[in-house]
Amino acid sequence: MGLFNAPTPERMTLTLRVMAHLLSYPDATLHGHLPELREALRSERALSASRLSELDALIDALEGGDALDTEADYVELFDRGRRTSLHLFEHVHGDSRDRGPAMIDLAQTYEKAGLYLGPDELPDYLPAVLEFASTQPPKEARALLAEMAHILNVIFSALLQQESAYASVLGALIELAGEKAQAVTIAPDEPIDESWAEPLAFDGCSSNGQAKPGTPQPVNIVRKSSATQGAQP
């Protein structure tokens, strides 16, 4: 993917927070806030009209769908496939031992910015990453999105393959990164097994490129060196 001539939004704080909510589990709390999320997107105007229209369609589907069906569809989509996983380090580290230290470093980065995760939340969960990005100035937030744009595009492509309206959220994030959302070739999806679903033990030394615990750590999300990621156009 290359840069394209998209307008650079002066503000994206509200939009990033809306994206975080839309990618979260669609429980009753989320349903109750959907009108506010729609209004926040329109008021900040960080996205193109076409992206806003797509996100309107997603919000309409969430508002009008049966609650149990919506929740079941979300679990099937995001929790049972690797290519659509919202845990970014799954796309970077997979099941390797590097994932634990990277998690620790990322959580410490959040804490330094005043963002503390709940006991059951993992720092590489995309909604958590977006909440963190929303606390940063627009330039830094845009740079963070650009750094993980290759991962976002893989998830975007997998969602397109499944004809999911959630692809609009990933497309919007790629647009905010200053990139063009376009489908890439990806390998067929594999189910995430039960052993991966359990939290990994955080052991071992910090991985290459990650800071030691207790020291400032920039968010480093690098491309996974595997042919299964697919070729970038």
Side-chain angles (χ1 to χ4, degrees):
M1 290 187 304
L3 291 174
F4 75 117
N5 294 323
T8 302
E10 295 181 1
R11 297 180 302 166
M12 60 174 72
T13 296
L14 291 178
T15 299
L16 288 173
R17 290 176 182 171
V18 171
M19 299 296 100
H21 284 295
L22 289 178
L23 289 176
S24 299
Y25 185 75
D27 56 15
T29 300
L30 175 64
H31 277 267
H33 289 293
L34 287 173
E36 298 171 39
L37 299 181
R38 191 197 304 270
E39 181 57 33
L41 287 176
R42 292 174 177 171
S43 66
E44 194 164 61
R45 299 181 181 178
L47 297 169
S48 65
S50 60
R51 288 295 175 201
L52 287 175
S53 177
E54 292 175 357
L55 292 167
D56 268 341
L58 171 61
I59 292 173
D60 286 343
L62 292 173
E63 285 181 323
D66 176 80
L68 292 178
D69 288 343
T70 299
E71 293 173 7
D73 290 345
Y74 179 93
V75 171
E76 186 66 29
L77 185 63
F78 292 118
D79 294 349
R80 302 195 187 282
R82 289 182 180 271
R83 295 293 170 256
T84 54
S85 173
L86 296 179
H87 292 277
L88 300 183
F89 287 162
E90 167 62 19
H91 300 272
V92 178
H93 299 299
D95 297 328
S96 78
R97 290 168 62 89
D98 290 336
R99 189 175 180 183
M103 290 275 202
I104 294 173
D105 288 335
L106 186 54
Q108 290 175 341
T109 299
Y110 292 166
E111 290 174 4
K112 289 179 175 64
L115 178 65
Y116 295 88
L117 301 176
D120 297 325
E121 295 180 295
L122 295 177
D124 69 331
Y125 184 46
L126 183 52
V129 177
L130 296 177
E131 288 284 357
F132 168 72
S134 75
T135 68
Q136 304 302 298
K139 182 178 179 180
E140 284 75 8
R142 186 179 176 89
L144 173 58
L145 292 175
E147 186 177 344
M148 61 185 180
H150 59 285
I151 302 175
L152 300 179
N153 214 42
V154 168
I155 303 172
F156 171 74
S157 300
L159 292 173
L160 282 182
Q161 283 187 352
Q162 300 194 38
E163 300 181 345
S164 170
Y166 279 104
S168 62
V169 183
L170 277 297
L173 292 174
I174 295 168
E175 180 177 297
L176 288 174
E179 303 277 349
K180 183 177 181 180
Q182 51 190 353
V184 297
T185 302
I186 56 176
D189 203 2
E190 311 170 20
I192 296 179
D193 58 30
E194 294 181 1
S195 64
W196 179 86
E198 295 296 323
L200 296 176
F202 293 163
D203 58 353
C205 299
S206 292
S207 60
N208 186 29
Q210 300 288 338
K212 296 179 180 179
T215 60
Q217 170 61 47
V219 177
N220 274 328
I221 301 176
V222 297
R223 189 185 304 274
K224 185 177 180 181
S225 56
S226 170
T228 60
Q229 286 290 355
Q232 298 289 336

